Amino acid sequence: MKAFVIAEAAEAQKDLCAGARTLADEVVLVSIGDAPQTGVADKAYHIALPEGELYENATDTVIALFDEVAPEIVLVETTPRLKIVGGRLAAHADTSVINDVAAFDGDAAESLYFGGLATMKRRPAGSVRIYSTNGSMFSEAEASGTDAVEEREFVPASNPLKLRGKREVVQEGADIGRAPIVVGAGRGFAKEEDLDLARSLAAAVRGEIACSRPIAENEKWLPKSLYIGVSGRVISPKVYFAVGISGQMQHMVGVTGADTIIAINKDANAPVFKQADYGLVADLQEVLPVLTEKLA
Ligand SMILES: Cc1cc2nc3c(=O)[nH]c(=O)nc-3n(C[C@H](O)[C@H](O)[C@H](O)COP(=O)(O)OP(=O)(O)OC[C@H]3O[C@@H](n4cnc5c(N)ncnc54)[C@H](O)[C@@H]3O)c2cc1C
């Protein structure tokens, strides 16, 4: 069986190729724009974009490669641009994409539903299985492969997207999606300056600070790119500290992929403790300085 992997970020190329290796005998990686990762697939194709060309307009080139390779499985990184490429590829292959896959159960792909309150299982509509995923479900898998990279000439799109305008998006804060340790701050932090306690803990454990939605959306103490949950970021760190966070489902679905959850909350009945591996019933003002000192 052959698997086709289309991913943007270098880490995602590695993770998705590692996952594809668990699903297929042959793994073929496609990278649009940037050069592909080597050593993670049996073969990698690089589609260089002509100056000023939109990423999404490489779809026809991807489709030509797809027809040539004839894979049974396609894994697409969950990014806005690749969701467009994946959707168009699925239309070409007379199937549909199953988006945001978080796990497999036999031939059913699982993803979150109703804002994370339920899990939905879906099976592919056509003979080719196309899934979009952030790759976190493959964290145990190992990537392997050759350094073979073949250049593919960009084929102009028959039905191209047209750029109507550009607006700069300022990236604030760290990329919490890739951080191994994340300290999440919630409404238990009474004042903005108290967030320094969370920042100090994050620095001590070489992690990154993140937050619940109210801290970013209501208080605006941290950028929106740092809030976790169903309408924020979904992350899979090795360790997640939930500090002063009650543990509402809308927040916790964003950390179901964390290996270990450590909750600190002064309310012993806070729902976060039901999902935490370790819990500390304590006032964050008292416990964070001590924890930071011990872990530094
Ligand atoms: C459609 C929808 C989408 C949503 N999406 C998201 C989302 O993506 N992400 C998200 O985070 N939320 C989301 N929410 C909001 C979510 O439902 C919760 O309201 C939110 O997560 C609560 O944030 P919190 O835990 O920081 O605050 P709270 O629920 O107010 O909890 C604060 C906690 O801090 C504890 N605390 C207080 N003082 C201290 C102290 N000194 N020391 C220790 N603990 C203390 C309290 O006991 C309490 O448990 C969404 C809601 C809706 C309706």
Side-chain angles (χ1 to χ4, degrees), residues 201-275:
L201 175 61
V205 296
R206 284 180 284 281
E208 299 292 348
I209 187 170
C211 61
S212 65
R213 184 161 101 163
I215 295 296
E217 293 270 11
N218 305 0
E219 306 295 353
K220 304 194 190 325
W221 292 343
L222 287 173
K224 287 184 193 163
S225 58
L226 291 188
Y227 89 75
I228 292 167
V230 66
S231 38
R233 295 292 306 274
V234 173
I235 60 170
S236 313
K238 290 208 174 310
V239 181
Y240 180 60
F241 287 89
V243 188
I245 286 177
S246 55
Q248 298 305 315
M249 180 58 85
Q250 289 90 353
H251 180 82
M252 298 308 285
V253 293
V255 291
T256 48
D259 289 350
T260 303
I261 298 177
I262 302 168
I264 300 171
N265 198 302
K266 68 177 185 184
D267 176 4
N269 296 316
V272 69
F273 289 124
K274 291 209 175 77
Q275 292 170 73

Side-chain angles (χ1 to χ4, degrees), residues 123-148:
R123 289 186 173 75
S127 54
V128 181
R129 295 185 269 156
I130 306 185
Y131 307 109
S132 84
T133 173
N134 66 8
S136 59
M137 65 177 153
F138 301 126
S139 59
E140 302 292 308
E142 287 287 327
S144 61
T146 70
D147 290 344

Side-chain angles (χ1 to χ4, degrees), residues 4-88:
F4 211 48
V5 173
I6 316 170
E8 290 191 43
E11 274 302 306
Q13 292 189 353
K14 187 162 160 266
D15 292 351
L16 265 61
C17 283
R21 184 72 67 201
T22 65
L23 303 169
D25 317 306
E26 195 180 331
V27 178
V28 176
L29 170 66
V30 180
S31 184
I32 302 165
D34 292 337
Q37 284 285 290
T38 53
V40 299
D42 298 302
K43 181 152 193 179
Y45 288 97
H46 177 221
I47 304 169
L49 286 176
E51 184 74 29
E53 188 55 82
L54 291 184
Y55 186 97
E56 297 86 337
N57 286 339
T59 308
D60 286 14
T61 319
V62 172
I63 286 175
L65 266 172
F66 168 86
D67 287 343
E68 200 178 305
V69 174
E72 287 93 339
I73 301 176
V74 181
L75 296 182
V76 182
E77 185 190 359
T78 310
T79 70
R81 300 192 297 188
L82 280 177
K83 278 192 170 175
I84 292 173
V85 175
R88 287 185 162 191

